[in-house]
Amino acid sequence: MTGATGPSGVRDGQRLFVAGEWVEPAAGHYPVTDPATEETVGWAPEASREQVLAACAAAREAFGPWSRTAPEERAAVLARAADVIRAHLEPYAGLARAETGATTGTARGMQVGVAAARFRRYARVEPAEWAIPPQINEAGPMGRAGVMGALAVRQPVGVVTCVTSYNNPWANTAGKVAPALAMGNTVVVKPAPQDPLSVYRMAEALEAAGVPRGVVNVVSGRSVSVGETAVSSPDVDMVSFTGSTAVGQRIAEVCGRDMKRQLMELGGKGAALVFDDADLGAAVTGIGTTFSFYSGQICTAPTRVLAQRGVYERVVEGLAAYAGRLKVGDPGEPDTVVGPVISAEHRDRVESYVGLGREEGAVVVAGGERPSPERGFYVSPTLLADCTNDMRVAREEIFGPVVVVVPFEEEDEGIALANDSDYGLIDYVWSGDVARAFRVARRLRAGGVGVNTVGRNMEAPFGGFKRSGVGRDVGSYALHAYSEVQAIVWPG
């Protein structure tokens, strides 16, 4: 994946996308590394502060005309973009696999495929206004009684800076850009520095789909100043961020000074409560996705298993056997299940947590050693048993193929342990008693709860409690997230 693609360039260095033009980066280029081979995939552009400000200014200038464009016309652009992405599924997926280390199936289906589906989803025009029942006022400001009618109208927020995550540059970016554009906003995308090339391919697809100049801008870089400038620019009205809680807190501080709208999808430490009447095969399979899906680099993973004492040993044995069956290696091979993590630095971080777990008294039941491939940033699927909820491995987000297991006795204790966390993104409950499962779900302090499943309904609201985020998106909720609500009132 080093050959040039379209006008933006790859072999000689990717260009920035600013105001509808592909421009050379003022601060040069840096290598993007394939985490499976440690080879260079391509050269990403390093934007200067001035170029980031120019992108924000271009988005501001384009906002007026784009926001006044008929929703049907905006939807048509998104639909065409979905078609372009689907038409280039194979090369796009190949680049995604090389940049992220995802397996071929994940790159095709969960990255590029989901991105196309999200553009298609937001090409469906939805009502932007809804009537409010008339209200009888005994006396208005002028002292006269009357009936007041009202209408609630969704209006675009303005310029949105989208700061995206490295674990899924296609689906995550599309999940921000598509609903933002559908609502009439313009965007400045700042992709993760580890794998920005896929985001530039998305910009090419939007350009081919006919998006007007300045409506979509992409600026990248390893320097912290690139993201800081994209967030703090006076031309920006909203920041949509996916990433760590620590970075999200810093962004929120900047947004708070200027009262900018925020949508934050932050860290997670998902609790998976497994009760003694659960289908253990289903529970183990669901929890086992932590080892394989993005190699555990996903905030929604059920990384903290709370197993009721009656099934604790069987849950540990089942997860250990499951982890031991997974092939770790080249993500391009069809039978590979666990690919690499994103970088050598992140591999070291994950491995340091395994060592910390040992020091804290956890028992390494599976994994714990670096796997055999000599090249690539691989981590063995690792299971830590006999944990307590106060251990750092049970409290901090590891973001790798590591699962910890904590025993509990009664239902109330399990719920208390699940809620004893700084995070609250997605929790899970496995129980043969569906009534109990839903009762427990309602008591969990998490933005979402999976009952006997790790699957998601992509129209259901997505977001977190506590330090796992601010706001909700996905489905129609994303249209609300990227809009302001305006009330229009008149005498009936």
Side-chain angles (χ1 to χ4, degrees):
M1 296 306 297
T2 56
T5 302
S8 62
V10 172
R11 180 187 297 115
D12 300 323
Q14 174 67 53
R15 299 184 184 97
L16 305 168
F17 190 56
V18 178
E21 300 288 339
W22 295 97
V23 299
E24 290 293 335
H29 293 85
Y30 65 91
V32 175
T33 302
D34 184 334
T37 65
E38 304 184 42
E39 296 176 353
T40 298
V41 177
W43 295 88
E46 183 80 35
S48 67
R49 182 176 184 275
E50 291 70 26
Q51 287 178 314
V52 178
L53 290 173
C56 297
R60 171 59 61 197
E61 183 176 354
F63 170 65
W66 180 249
S67 66
R68 293 189 294 271
T69 300
E72 292 77 11
E73 293 182 37
R74 299 197 298 258
V77 171
L78 299 182
R80 290 195 295 269
D83 291 341
V84 173
I85 293 170
R86 289 198 181 281
H88 295 82
L89 175 62
E90 293 304 328
Y92 286 169
L95 176 60
R97 180 184 59 75
E99 279 195 292
T100 67
T103 62
T104 298
T106 296
R108 294 180 81 259
M110 300 304 298
Q111 295 197 12
V112 182
V114 168
R118 286 180 169 173
F119 276 104
R120 179 67 63 186
R121 159 64 181 93
Y122 293 106
R124 189 172 76 222
V125 178
E126 296 190 12
E129 58 187 46
W130 61 99
I132 297 172
Q135 178 180 336
I136 300 174
N137 291 338
E138 302 246 344
M142 304 303 293
R144 295 191 296 271
V147 178
M148 302 301 294
L151 192 67
V153 181
R154 284 202 299 261
Q155 298 278 19
V157 178
V159 176
V160 181
T161 287
C162 303
V163 184
T164 64
S165 62
Y166 73 72
N167 60 345
N168 196 331
W170 278 96
N172 184 254
T173 305
K176 298 178 185 298
V177 171
L181 297 184
M183 281 307 308
N185 302 284
T186 55
V187 299
V188 177
V189 183
K190 193 280 175 186
Q194 298 92 334
D195 48 15
L197 300 178
S198 289
V199 179
Y200 286 105
R201 300 290 79 70
M202 186 181 297
E204 284 182 356
L206 283 160
E207 181 185 37
V211 71
R213 294 166 60 92
V215 170
V216 174
N217 305 270
V218 184
V219 289
S220 59
R222 292 185 294 187
S223 171
V224 173
S225 67
V226 174
E228 288 179 343
T229 304
V231 168
S232 63
S233 166
D235 285 315
V236 171
D237 302 292
M238 174 180 173
V239 176
S240 176
F241 171 70
T242 299
S244 72
T245 296
V247 175
Q249 287 173 317
R250 294 199 292 272
I251 290 174
E253 290 172 0
V254 175
C255 290
R257 290 197 291 268
D258 295 322
M259 299 303 293
K260 294 181 181 183
R261 171 75 74 84
Q262 305 165 46
L263 179 61
M264 298 281 184
E265 181 198 337
L266 307 178
K269 191 70 176 179
L273 285 89
V274 183
F275 287 95
D276 53 14
D277 61 351
D279 179 338
L280 296 188
V284 166
T285 299
I287 295 165
T289 60
T290 301
F291 300 127
S292 57
F293 195 48
Y294 299 126
S295 301
Q297 300 169 110
I298 183 166
C299 53
T300 59
T303 57
R304 185 169 53 113
V305 179
L306 307 175
Q308 197 162 18
R309 185 65 72 178
V311 294
Y312 174 80
E313 295 295 340
R314 282 185 287 162
V315 168
V316 170
E317 292 171 2
L319 286 171
Y322 187 96
R325 291 194 296 267
L326 303 178
K327 179 187 174 183
V328 180
D330 181 357
E333 295 294 330
D335 58 341
T336 294
V337 180
V338 182
V341 296
I342 194 65
S343 66
E345 294 78 12
H346 190 58
R347 177 185 59 191
D348 292 344
R349 178 180 182 274
V350 174
E351 290 179 340
S352 73
Y353 269 105
V354 177
L356 177 63
R358 285 191 175 101
E359 294 174 8
E360 291 181 310
V363 176
V364 179
V365 181
E369 303 294 337
R370 187 171 293 186
S372 57
E374 295 182 1
R375 295 180 64 82
F377 312 129
Y378 294 96
V379 176
S380 293
T382 300
L383 181 67
L384 302 178
D386 295 347
C387 297
T388 59
N389 214 46
D390 60 351
M391 292 179 176
R392 285 181 59 188
V393 290
R395 303 199 67 81
E396 299 176 12
E397 185 176 38
I398 299 173
F399 220 58
V402 179
V403 172
V404 303
V405 189
V406 179
F408 72 92
E409 299 290 347
E410 302 297 332
E411 179 179 310
D412 286 347
E413 181 191 5
I415 294 169
L417 289 171
N419 289 333
D420 181 18
S421 173
D422 291 335
Y423 299 105
L425 187 57
I426 304 290
D427 284 346
Y428 303 87
V429 181
W430 271 274
S431 173
D433 183 342
V434 175
R436 174 167 72 170
F438 275 84
R439 179 179 71 241
V440 170
R442 293 294 296 271
R443 294 179 62 188
L444 296 177
R445 299 291 296 165
V449 181
V451 174
N452 294 326
T453 184
V454 293
R456 283 177 56 194
N457 181 319
M458 296 310 294
E459 288 296 314
F462 180 75
F465 288 13
K466 298 181 279 187
R467 294 190 180 185
S468 284
V470 176
R472 297 292 182 272
D473 68 352
V474 179
S476 296
Y477 296 90
L479 299 176
H480 289 278
Y482 293 97
S483 62
E484 299 280 11
V485 178
Q486 178 186 61
I488 301 176
V489 182
W490 67 90

